[in-house]
Amino acid sequence: MLKSVKVAILGYGTVGGGVAQVIDANHDSILQKTGLDLEVRYILDLRDFPGDVNEHKVVHDIDVILKDPEVTVCCETMGGKRPAYDFSRRALEAGKSVCSSNKELVEAFGPELLQIASAHHCSYLFEASVGGGIPIIHNILNCLTQEKIGSVQGILNGTTNYMLTRMADEGADYETVLQEAQRLGYAEKNPEADVEGHDSGRKIAILASLVFGKTVKYDKIHVEGISSLTAADMAYARKLGCSVKLLGKASERVSRISAIVAPFLVKAGQPLYMVDDVFNAIVLHGNMLGDTMYYGAGAGRRPTASAVVSDIITAGLHEGSTAYCPWEPEEADLVPFEETENAFFVRIGTADQEQARNVFGAEKFITLPQMENECGFVTGRLKEGQFEEQFLALKHRISFIRMDA
């Protein structure tokens, strides 16, 4: 049975424009598969778009949308917290479902907006906020409800993964690949959110909150980026049979959650080892299913817009009710970072070898022909606090990278 779904797009930028494009291009296919007749009724933006195919749908006042009873879904593709939060909240209070691609908003206000949606018999959906076009949230909430998921980890930022791939393949240094990424449009003029791990941190916070059911706050997660990595680190990784990946990781141990974003050495044969360039991948471990990996384009106009439209379809199919999402506002009990455990690859000056043997029990040292007077070794699993104390005691310490277990 045919059902009309009138949609308002809040923010007509890269993703918002993509949403309109996906609805237009795939309208008939969506109708055939779902019975939903999707129509963009309004586009909210501060700008006008003369000559655009949708210029006649542009409005500048959110109240026009909120007061139209025929609009049942709003797509928040504005970015940032304000006014995106205010518009989303008001739309939900008006009984209109909201689909968001805004990870910053979702991480900060997700539980609150989910509760508002439930109180007003509509849905707050955010598939596109993590993993771009990868349907990871749908799978967590719909396909894996029978599983007890013990851990989630992934490559969650395409910009940094592209940069690490170039550094590994070409032996290039960090500044060179950053400039290349900026030239190609993968990195912003101010790349801090990507390269210092903040983008990945917000995404793993959202994923952990969904997987474990309680709120994992981004500002409680230990976050490191890739700006300190060098071509020498990549050469050592290659000799170890590893690749370097910026990973977001979260796991549950006896009702406590540990979470981190940092570069890790991933061994050949592990699912994330071969994920290169701008692609993202996420691995979930279920107690019955084991590991499953979800791979695809982690950003970009069309993949992200496709994920938003998938949420529009979900909202249309659940009109008058609330789509399932077990994310409680209560904060999860996080393991203090210094108590979490990892193994480490450590670079030192050769003068520190005897001390490394005594302190870390190092037995095998790894050298590179081009790196004189230094070497590396792999530790056993250590608590972060213990490792930091021992590492700082080394007189000729250079750097370290964690090993992905």
Side-chain angles (χ1 to χ4, degrees):
M1 180 177 177
L2 182 129
K3 179 181 179 182
S4 178
V5 178
K6 301 291 194 300
V7 178
I9 299 173
L10 314 183
Y12 199 48
T14 299
V15 178
V19 170
Q21 183 182 27
V22 172
I23 291 175
D24 180 59
N26 292 349
H27 174 274
D28 293 348
S29 175
I30 294 168
L31 179 62
Q32 181 181 15
K33 295 173 184 176
T34 68
L36 299 179
D37 179 16
L38 304 188
E39 176 194 338
V40 177
R41 183 69 170 267
Y42 299 107
I43 293 170
L44 178 73
D45 206 286
L46 293 174
R47 303 161 295 174
D48 291 307
F49 297 88
D52 188 277
V53 65
N54 291 308
E55 65 174 315
H56 60 290
K57 300 178 181 179
V58 175
V59 297
H60 306 300
D61 184 354
I62 186 66
D63 287 329
V64 174
I65 295 168
L66 298 179
K67 291 177 180 178
D68 188 335
E70 292 191 354
V71 173
T72 57
V73 182
C74 293
C75 299
E76 185 276 298
T77 54
M78 305 173 69
K81 294 180 182 178
R82 305 282 179 172
Y85 164 77
D86 304 287
F87 291 173
S88 297
R89 176 181 54 78
R90 292 181 63 194
L92 293 169
E93 290 172 343
K96 304 179 191 297
S97 291
V98 173
C99 308
S100 178
S101 62
N102 187 344
K103 58 188 167 290
E104 185 178 3
L105 180 71
V106 173
E107 187 278 325
F109 298 105
E112 176 188 346
L113 294 172
L114 284 165
Q115 289 189 326
I116 294 171
S118 179
H120 293 85
H121 309 292
C122 54
S123 297
Y124 184 61
L125 303 160
F126 41 89
E127 182 66 68
S129 67
V130 178
I134 304 172
I136 183 62
I137 293 175
H138 174 84
N139 278 289
I140 290 171
L141 299 183
N142 295 279
C143 303
L144 295 174
T145 53
Q146 77 284 3
E147 288 289 319
K148 180 173 176 56
I149 299 175
S151 66
V152 54
Q153 67 172 324
I155 296 166
L156 303 172
N157 183 272
T159 298
T160 51
N161 204 45
Y162 170 82
M163 292 172 62
L164 292 174
T165 301
R166 297 280 74 77
M167 289 177 72
D169 289 351
E170 301 167 10
D173 60 27
Y174 170 82
E175 289 297 336
T176 299
V177 297
L178 174 58
Q179 292 173 14
E180 180 185 1
Q182 290 172 322
R183 180 179 60 82
L184 294 172
Y186 296 148
E188 302 289 340
K189 184 176 181 181
N190 179 0
E192 181 178 352
D194 293 325
V195 300
E196 298 303 340
H198 306 309
D199 177 79
S200 296
R202 291 188 173 92
K203 291 174 180 176
I204 197 63
I206 294 169
L207 287 174
S209 298
L210 294 173
V211 164
F212 303 120
K214 295 181 181 180
T215 298
V216 176
K217 299 297 292 182
Y218 157 68
D219 59 8
K220 303 287 181 65
I221 297 174
H222 180 84
V223 174
E224 299 176 16
I226 69 167
S227 58
S228 64
L229 294 175
T230 66
D233 292 320
M234 300 299 166
Y236 276 112
R238 190 159 45 249
K239 188 158 185 178
L240 287 163
C242 298
S243 59
V244 181
K245 304 295 182 186
L246 182 67
L247 299 184
K249 299 163 68 92
S251 60
E252 185 177 33
R253 297 287 186 274
V254 195
S255 300
R256 300 179 80 193
I257 310 301
S258 62
I260 185 174
V261 172
F264 280 81
L265 286 163
V266 180
K267 296 177 182 178
Q270 295 298 312
L272 297 174
Y273 173 83
M274 291 296 292
V275 179
D276 287 336
D277 293 312
V278 295
F279 288 95
N280 285 192
I282 299 162
V283 176
L284 300 169
H285 182 82
N287 65 330
M288 297 297 162
L289 184 61
D291 287 342
T292 56
M293 185 171 85
Y294 306 84
Y295 169 89
R301 177 186 178 97
R302 291 184 179 181
T304 306
S306 177
V308 175
V309 175
S310 77
D311 278 346
I312 296 172
I313 293 168
T314 298
L317 295 173
H318 285 83
E319 186 175 347
S321 62
T322 303
Y324 170 72
C325 186
W327 180 354
E328 297 298 326
E330 178 186 354
E331 285 198 30
D333 182 13
L334 294 186
V335 178
F337 174 67
E338 61 272 14
E339 295 181 17
T340 61
E341 291 188 356
N342 284 294
F344 301 81
F345 172 71
V346 183
R347 288 172 59 194
I348 59 172
T350 52
D352 272 349
Q353 284 185 342
E354 188 60 31
Q355 189 178 6
R357 289 189 184 96
N358 294 333
V359 174
F360 290 100
E363 297 178 356
K364 181 181 179 181
F365 291 94
I366 299 151
T367 59
L368 296 175
Q370 67 271 34
M371 305 301 296
E372 295 183 359
N373 301 317
E374 75 162 74
C375 60
F377 63 93
V378 177
T379 74
R381 290 184 66 80
L382 298 167
K383 289 186 176 182
E384 288 280 348
Q386 178 188 358
F387 170 77
E388 181 180 18
E389 182 179 342
Q390 293 176 349
F391 178 72
L392 292 177
L394 297 170
K395 294 180 180 179
H396 300 92
R397 63 186 179 272
I398 298 173
S399 65
F400 67 87
I401 304 176
R402 294 170 182 86
M403 303 290 297
D404 183 37

